[in-house]
Amino acid sequence: MPFELPKLSYAPDALQPYISKQTIDFHYGKHHQAYVNNLNNLIPGTRFEQATLDQIIKEADGGIFNNGAQIWNHTFYFESFSPAGPREPSGQLATAIANSFGSFGNFKEQFTKSSVTLFGSGWAWLVRKPDGSLEIVQEPNAGNPLRNGMVPILTCDVWEHAYYLDYQNRRPDYLQAFWNILDWEIISKRF
Ligand code: MN
């Protein structure tokens, strides 16, 4: 069963003005689709032919890892957004963020800094560690913290293709916009 591009739960223009329809058309419609196509071309005849993306992230290397992890990462990223969800966490995740970072404001500041300072292409992550505490980690390229036994809660794609059409080289402006489209009801369920 080949991998498929998951459907978005919102229209391509629903995240405007923060992320344009043009960016969704390219980032989701072209880049995300390309990772799906690439993986489907790479796995026939390998031991990953029937694997899940989680297995691929934990066990594969090279092109199979890169494309499999990029599918997972992009699905997780695009699923974090909605045009009208709550823009702050609640419940247990809100408590855990306050315990680990002092406040939601401090967390936003640290996550933004981690995203803006990540050199080159990659992903910033909020993860739950095995002891239940939260941490912000940077992963280069297609990196995914599942590979290190951590549970992803939130991610920000800082590859230039995620923001260049809307913000050109201004990654900090993209991060500022990012907080306005996150749906913390969806994100809180991951904790
Ligand atoms: Mn991307």
Side-chain angles (χ1 to χ4, degrees):
M1 183 70 186
F3 289 99
E4 287 178 14
L5 184 67
K7 296 266 179 287
L8 293 179
S9 66
Y10 42 82
D13 62 356
L15 305 178
Q16 299 192 123
Y18 303 108
I19 290 183
S20 66
K21 179 182 180 299
Q22 192 190 21
T23 287
I24 294 290
D25 287 346
F26 276 88
H27 194 191
Y28 168 75
K30 306 284 186 195
H31 290 276
H32 198 178
Q33 180 71 63
Y35 297 125
V36 172
N37 297 344
N38 291 343
L39 186 66
N40 286 333
N41 288 330
L42 285 167
I43 53 176
T46 75
R47 73 183 181 96
F48 297 106
E49 196 158 0
Q50 306 295 330
T52 63
L53 290 178
D54 284 42
Q55 276 175 283
I56 286 172
I57 286 167
K58 287 173 185 164
E59 298 170 21
D61 290 298
I64 293 180
F65 170 80
N66 286 336
N67 286 283
Q70 284 293 77
I71 297 171
W72 196 108
N73 296 356
H74 281 89
T75 300
F76 194 75
Y77 168 82
F78 286 123
E79 281 179 351
S80 306
F81 303 137
S82 80
R87 302 307 182 207
E88 292 200 11
S90 56
Q92 289 186 324
L93 180 59
T95 306
I97 286 174
N99 289 341
S100 295
F101 303 102
S103 68
F104 182 57
N106 284 346
F107 160 71
K108 280 172 72 172
E109 215 170 281
Q110 288 180 39
F111 190 92
T112 297
K113 188 178 174 197
S114 194
S115 302
V116 169
T117 60
L118 197 161
F119 184 78
S121 296
W123 301 78
W125 298 86
L126 173 66
V127 298
R128 196 183 75 211
K129 297 195 288 187
D131 69 3
S133 65
L134 294 170
E135 190 177 34
I136 296 166
V137 294
Q138 296 177 327
E139 291 279 353
N141 303 315
N144 181 306
L146 278 175
R147 196 164 165 108
N148 302 320
M150 300 197 263
V151 178
I153 307 292
L154 173 69
T155 194
C156 185
D157 184 349
V158 298
W159 286 55
E160 282 188 344
H161 69 217
Y163 58 89
Y164 212 84
L165 292 174
D166 296 332
Y167 300 101
Q168 293 76 52
N169 61 322
R170 303 188 307 278
R171 194 189 289 181
D173 290 355
Y174 161 62
L175 259 294
Q176 203 168 14
F178 177 73
W179 300 106
N180 292 295
I181 51 176
L182 290 177
D183 187 319
W184 284 92
E185 192 180 337
I186 296 167
I187 298 159
S188 297
K189 286 180 186 148
R190 300 166 175 168
F191 179 67

